[in-house]
Amino acid sequence: MKRPTIADIARRAGVSKVAVSYALNDQPGVSAATRSAIKEIAAEIGWRPNSAARALNGARAQAVGLVVRRPASTLGAEPFFMEFISGIESVLSRRSYALMLQVVDDHRQELDVYRRWWGERRVDGVFLVDLHVEDVRVAEIEALGLPAVAIGPPDVAGGLPTVWSDDGESIREIVRYLAALGHRRIARVAGTAALAHTALRDAAMAEACEELGLGAPVVVHTDYTGDEGARAARRLLISPDRPSAMVFDNDIMAVAALSVAQELRLDVPGDVSIVAWDDSQLTRVVRPALSGMSRDILAYGARAAESLLALVAGAPVTGVLDGCARLVPRASTARPRT
């Protein structure tokens, strides 16, 4: 079926294509009655503006971008990103904005995507996720002049506005809770060490353990996958100094660790307590249900989208500190056996 064009509207309205262009772009040159009639015909035949032509004329692309550096095979299995994207879409759909999503292997490819999108005017702005402690992307995006909102701690975001959550305070809550239960050997299976939020959690956990007289915690860095989470949990659980509590930086690794504990005939929480970050359907359907760090990820994504659209519109945008993740105790945590 042929796509409706401005020429089709002009024939039906009995006017020139120039008049149709003036009317559809709300420019002077046609009467109010003609403008209204033209817009009614456009809606009736299903005409939509050509985004490529609009981009060439300097109009907005009506799209924003998100590039994620992780295997495409694991992205769909990660509840956090699915909820985060849903939160973004809840705002974009109301504003008739589209989300461009690309999965890449490294930062070089990610920067190539940004340059192409911005050069071809495919996006009006982007979300920058998974900030690194020393992130080369920040300076590159600033140099491009590409509007961007960084999702992560402001101290590594350069001059980009940020939407972030204080993970350090959340880690302190976990440590205080486990210490109050009587745990003295606490281990954490974390994400990639280069990530800014991982470094923030590492430092906060070390400080909290020192303040409570627990000694230095054992921290194992992984790639967030279930396989790596299970491997790390197995090494910890068969070690001579087995921890009495383990904290995992995402729900997939925590669920994998629960399976490892059951494989080793260890009781959860009698032999080892488990805490998952983030809380999700996965943590609630397993048995025992896992204690988890809960926050409104949908709202987190929505705030990020609101900030980026405001930035694209030219409004002043400052950092947004989102609410901290809070501990929801469940059956996977208890006092350790003597």
Side-chain angles (χ1 to χ4, degrees):
M1 186 174 179
K2 182 174 173 289
R3 184 194 301 271
T5 66
I6 284 180
D8 297 327
I9 300 172
R11 278 194 298 272
R12 292 192 56 169
V15 299
S16 68
K17 290 190 289 184
V18 173
V20 173
S21 178
Y22 285 164
L24 294 177
N25 289 289
D26 291 318
Q27 294 178 347
V30 295
S31 68
T34 300
R35 188 188 311 278
S36 176
I38 287 172
K39 287 188 174 183
E40 286 180 10
I41 292 170
E44 180 184 334
I45 68 175
W47 177 87
R48 294 290 182 274
N50 185 309
S51 59
R54 285 172 59 84
L56 289 173
N57 290 328
R60 288 183 184 149
Q62 291 296 116
V64 292
L66 172 63
V67 183
V68 182
R69 182 177 171 253
R70 56 184 24 82
S73 59
T74 65
L75 182 61
E78 194 165 339
F80 171 83
F81 261 107
M82 292 301 97
E83 289 190 52
F84 183 70
I85 290 172
S86 295
I88 290 173
E89 285 286 8
S90 71
V91 171
L92 297 186
S93 61
R94 294 198 305 268
R95 310 282 188 87
S96 297
Y97 255 80
L99 177 67
M100 299 271 284
L101 176 65
Q102 181 105 30
V103 177
V104 297
D105 294 327
D106 55 42
H107 283 173
R108 180 188 57 78
Q109 290 182 9
E110 184 175 346
L111 288 170
D112 287 343
V113 171
Y114 293 142
R115 294 187 191 102
R116 185 175 73 252
W117 280 354
W118 190 233
E120 296 174 358
R121 300 185 181 180
R122 294 192 178 197
V123 298
D124 298 322
V126 296
F127 302 99
L128 183 63
V129 297
D130 291 337
L131 291 182
H132 281 214
V133 175
E134 295 183 4
D135 204 314
V136 297
R137 298 172 298 169
V138 172
E140 290 280 351
I141 286 175
E142 290 178 325
L144 283 173
L146 172 60
V149 168
I151 313 301
D155 58 334
V156 294
L160 301 179
T162 57
V163 176
W164 67 295
S165 176
D166 188 355
D167 287 1
E169 182 54 38
S170 301
I171 279 287
R172 293 182 189 94
E173 182 181 1
I174 296 172
V175 174
R176 287 194 293 264
Y177 172 71
L178 292 174
L181 288 176
H183 292 279
R184 292 295 177 266
R185 296 190 308 281
I186 302 173
R188 178 166 143 261
V189 178
T192 307
L195 291 174
H197 70 263
T198 300
L200 192 155
R201 295 179 190 185
D202 288 351
M205 188 164 189
E207 291 170 5
C209 287
E210 183 178 357
E211 289 170 6
L212 295 168
L214 304 180
V218 176
V219 178
V220 181
H221 294 104
T222 70
D223 63 359
Y224 285 116
T225 63
D227 287 344
E228 282 298 304
R231 203 167 287 121
R234 191 173 290 108
R235 288 199 301 269
L236 290 167
L237 292 175
I238 64 176
S239 68
D241 297 321
R242 186 178 74 207
S244 63
M246 296 191 299
V247 181
F248 292 84
D249 270 16
N250 74 359
D251 43 7
I252 294 173
M253 294 195 296
V255 171
L258 177 61
S259 296
V260 170
Q262 293 166 347
E263 163 199 319
L264 295 173
R265 299 294 189 268
L266 295 174
D267 178 67
V268 177
D271 294 318
V272 61
S273 287
I274 295 177
V275 178
W277 189 327
D278 292 288
D279 191 19
S280 71
Q281 290 291 339
L282 288 178
T283 63
R284 294 190 284 272
V285 298
V286 294
R287 291 293 176 269
L290 298 178
S291 297
M293 300 304 293
S294 180
R295 60 174 169 169
D296 192 340
I297 300 171
L298 283 170
Y300 194 47
R303 290 186 188 99
E306 292 282 4
S307 296
L308 182 55
L309 292 186
L311 187 66
V312 166
V317 178
T318 56
V320 176
L321 176 57
D322 201 58
C324 296
R326 295 301 182 192
L327 179 67
V328 179
R330 296 197 181 96
S332 69
T333 48
R335 293 189 64 83
R337 288 176 180 164
T338 303

